[in-house]
């Protein structure tokens, strides 16, 4: 009986240790997956937004989606052997679409004049984005709007934490697009979250960049028609 009791105590200790290791491993894996999601989105958007020539004012929720559009120019393609241009520079439109039902951030592209149909699948940049508070025009609680435009010439220039990035007299010469995203992976005690709070500077914009652009055509209206 004594041996059986001791064996029972040892098994309880062993099982508890195994469960703690299991929880720790699951937590680390969930956190790694969460961080990987946002890192991938950051790397892609740093390249996309850096060379944008125009950025739209981000939308409020439209049928459970949030949008922001931008314009850019695809560089010319040259034949690697002859050096001849085989494809001239091409003006393009891009759109970031955050699906508030599925928690998916997608990138949609099109040539000006050929806007995508609403709901057309795009390239997934990140999934498992926390969206519970983003269905409101103004997010509740501590949540921030996922897309925030800082126009060139604006004095309301903030870093990702909500503090002023520079002195009170500073005004930026380029448009900037803030992204505030939270990735949530796992459930219950294994759930882990990571935050992305970053501002991308569009180096091909200026204080003279017009507010209107053809790429605004890609945003749906409340009636389901593309914007004019």
């Amino acid at each position: 009986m004594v041996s059986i009791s001791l064996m029972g105590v040892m098994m309880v200790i062993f099982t508890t240790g195994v469960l703690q290791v299991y929880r720790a491993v699951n937590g680390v894996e969930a956190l790694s997956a969460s961080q990987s999601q946002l890192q991938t989105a950051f790397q892609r958007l740093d390249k996309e937004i850096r060379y944008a020539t125009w950025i739209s004012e981000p939308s409020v929720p439209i049928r459970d989606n949030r949008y922001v559009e931008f314009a850019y120019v695809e560089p010319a393609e040259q034949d690697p052997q002859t050096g001849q241009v085989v494809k001239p520079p091409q003006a393009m439109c891009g759109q970031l679409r955050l699906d508030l039902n599925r928690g998916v951030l997608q990138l949609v592209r099109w040539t000006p004049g050929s806007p995508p149909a609403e709901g057309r699948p795009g390239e997934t940049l990140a999934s498992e984005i926390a969206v519970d508070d983003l269905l409101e025009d103004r997010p509740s609680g501590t949540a921030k709007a996922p897309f925030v435009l800082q126009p060139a010439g604006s004095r309301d220039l903030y870093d990702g934490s909500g503090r002023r990035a520079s002195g009170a007299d500073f005004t930026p010469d380029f448009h900037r697009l803030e992204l505030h995203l939270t990735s949530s992976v796992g459930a219950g005690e294994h759930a882990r979250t990571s935050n992305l709070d970053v501002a991308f500077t569009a180096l091909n914009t200026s204080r003279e960049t017009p507010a209107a652009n053809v790429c605004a055509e890609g945003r749906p209206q409340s009636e389901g028609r593309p914007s004019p």
Side-chain angles (χ1 to χ4, degrees), residues 5-141:
S5 298
L6 290 175
M7 182 63 70
V9 171
M10 294 300 295
M11 287 300 295
V12 169
I13 295 174
F14 175 77
T15 302
T16 302
V18 170
L19 289 176
Q20 289 177 343
V21 171
Y22 173 75
R23 294 191 185 99
V25 169
N26 278 351
V28 170
E29 289 180 347
L31 181 60
S32 177
S34 176
Q35 292 173 338
S36 178
Q37 291 276 339
L38 296 183
Q39 180 66 21
T40 299
F42 171 81
Q43 291 174 342
R44 288 298 312 279
L45 294 178
D46 183 50
K47 182 184 299 182
E48 299 286 344
I49 305 300
R50 182 186 298 272
Y51 301 109
T53 58
W54 170 84
I55 302 175
S56 71
E57 186 67 37
S59 77
V60 297
I62 301 175
R63 284 181 293 285
D64 297 342
N65 290 295
R66 283 181 177 264
Y67 300 90
V68 62
E69 293 77 31
F70 58 95
Y72 67 101
V73 177
E74 285 188 346
E77 293 183 8
Q78 295 181 326
D79 187 297
Q81 296 181 342
T82 65
Q84 293 182 337
V85 175
V86 296
K87 181 181 178 182
Q90 172 68 56
M92 295 291 294
C93 297
Q95 180 187 75
L96 295 180
R97 179 178 64 210
L98 179 58
D99 186 326
L100 302 179
N101 286 318
R102 299 185 297 141
V104 174
L105 177 67
Q106 291 191 322
L107 171 63
V108 182
R109 307 173 189 269
W110 69 94
T111 55
S114 303
E118 183 177 357
R120 189 189 81 179
E123 178 185 355
T124 297
L125 302 181
S127 58
E128 300 187 85
I129 302 298
V131 295
D132 290 346
D133 296 322
L134 301 182
L135 289 168
E136 304 292 334
D137 287 358
R138 295 184 178 182
S140 58

Side-chain angles (χ1 to χ4, degrees), residues 117-197:
E118 183 177 357
R120 189 189 81 179
E123 178 185 355
T124 297
L125 302 181
S127 58
E128 300 187 85
I129 302 298
V131 295
D132 290 346
D133 296 322
L134 301 182
L135 289 168
E136 304 292 334
D137 287 358
R138 295 184 178 182
S140 58
T142 59
K144 301 176 183 178
F147 310 128
V148 178
L149 175 65
Q150 297 176 350
S154 170
R155 289 181 179 271
D156 295 327
L157 185 67
Y158 298 91
D159 62 17
S161 64
R163 300 169 299 186
R164 287 197 64 86
S166 304
D169 296 330
F170 175 78
T171 55
D173 291 325
F174 308 102
H175 287 1
R176 287 158 52 103
L177 179 64
E178 287 185 6
L179 259 69
H180 303 289
L181 301 173
T182 298
S183 175
S184 180
V185 179
E189 62 184 13
H190 304 304
R192 296 294 186 276
T193 61
S194 294
N195 297 319
L196 177 65
D197 293 288

